[in-house]
């Protein structure tokens, strides 16, 4: 896999993050590169794993999942068997959209999308039925000030 990308590759990645529906012609025009050169670079970026997928971003409110929840987990159990059970549990719930093992005082932070507090409680009950957790707390997002999937590829 190629470890280095140049400014043109970064421009391609930035444009595709803004709008993955761009045709090769539209993209090549935006970055001032020939269609064929643009297509070859896009293919290489995909083949080398810089582009890992293309998705549609969905408005969570419009599909009835307007409550964003951060779930903080501290555990005294860190053995491999518990971790395997925990991993299997959290990846099995579609409501859980992010799982992060943390440094410092927290062990794990989960992000979930649910319809309301009752839906969060159902998720919580299903989670603790699958894996023993000693300290779980949740914070409900009151306002999303910034939410993005964009990786700032133009920064270094």
């Amino acid at each position: 896999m190629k470890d280095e990308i140049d400014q043109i590759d970064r421009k391609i990645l930035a444009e595709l993050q803004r709008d993955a529906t761009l045709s090769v012609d539209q993209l090549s025009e935006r970055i001032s590169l020939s269609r064929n050169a643009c297509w070859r670079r896009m293919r290489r970026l995909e083949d080398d794993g810089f582009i890992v997928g293309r998705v549609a971003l969905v408005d969570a409110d419009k599909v009835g999942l307007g409550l964003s929840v951060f779930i903080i987990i501290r555990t005294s159990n860190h053995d491999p068997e518990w971790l395997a059970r925990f991993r299997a549990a959290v990846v099995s719930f579609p409501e859980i959209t992010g799982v992060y093992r943390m440094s410092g005082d927290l062990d794990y932070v989960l992000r979930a999308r649910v319809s309301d507090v009752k839906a969060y409680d159902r998720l919580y009950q299903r989670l603790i039925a699958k894996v023993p957790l000693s300290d779980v707390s949740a914070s409900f997002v009151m306002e999303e000030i910034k939410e993005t999937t964009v990786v700032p590829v133009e920064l270094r």
Side-chain angles (χ1 to χ4, degrees):
M1 175 152 95
K2 184 178 176 184
D3 291 336
E4 303 243 350
I5 57 174
D6 63 17
Q7 288 302 338
I8 294 170
D9 292 333
R10 290 177 184 280
K11 286 179 183 178
I12 290 170
L13 293 172
E15 289 295 333
L16 289 175
Q17 284 187 102
R18 287 185 198 93
D19 185 357
T21 66
L22 290 173
S23 68
V24 175
D25 290 329
Q26 292 170 315
L27 182 60
S28 66
E29 191 174 301
R30 287 189 184 189
I31 62 169
S32 302
L33 190 65
S34 75
R35 181 188 196 287
N36 288 340
C38 186
W39 183 85
R40 281 192 304 272
R41 282 176 177 261
M42 282 177 51
R43 288 289 142 228
R44 184 181 48 77
L45 289 167
E46 288 175 342
D47 292 345
D48 289 351
F50 288 94
I51 297 172
V52 295
R54 298 184 192 195
V55 299
L57 301 177
V58 175
D59 184 317
D61 286 325
K62 290 190 179 195
V63 295
L65 298 171
L67 184 60
S68 187
V69 184
F70 286 93
I71 305 163
I72 294 100
I73 297 175
R74 291 179 183 90
T75 182
S76 57
N77 193 343
H78 298 279
D79 66 62
E81 182 182 306
W82 181 90
L83 181 56
R85 284 181 64 193
F86 177 75
R87 283 179 193 254
V90 295
V91 301
S92 73
F93 295 113
E95 304 95 325
I96 297 175
T97 59
V99 179
Y100 312 93
R101 188 167 57 90
M102 307 298 289
S103 64
D105 294 338
L106 308 176
D107 290 314
Y108 300 92
V109 174
L110 286 56
R111 179 163 187 197
R113 278 287 188 172
V114 293
S115 57
D116 54 28
V117 175
K118 286 183 182 183
Y120 164 71
D121 187 50
R122 288 190 298 272
L123 170 64
Y124 169 78
Q125 295 296 330
R126 289 176 19 237
L127 181 60
I128 63 171
K130 285 195 171 207
V131 63
L133 301 172
S134 55
D135 183 9
V136 180
S137 62
S139 293
F140 301 99
V141 174
M142 303 298 291
E143 177 185 11
E144 289 183 2
I145 296 170
K146 181 177 181 181
E147 171 76 12
T148 185
T149 61
V150 173
V151 176
V153 295
E154 294 172 318
L155 298 178
R156 287 193 194 211

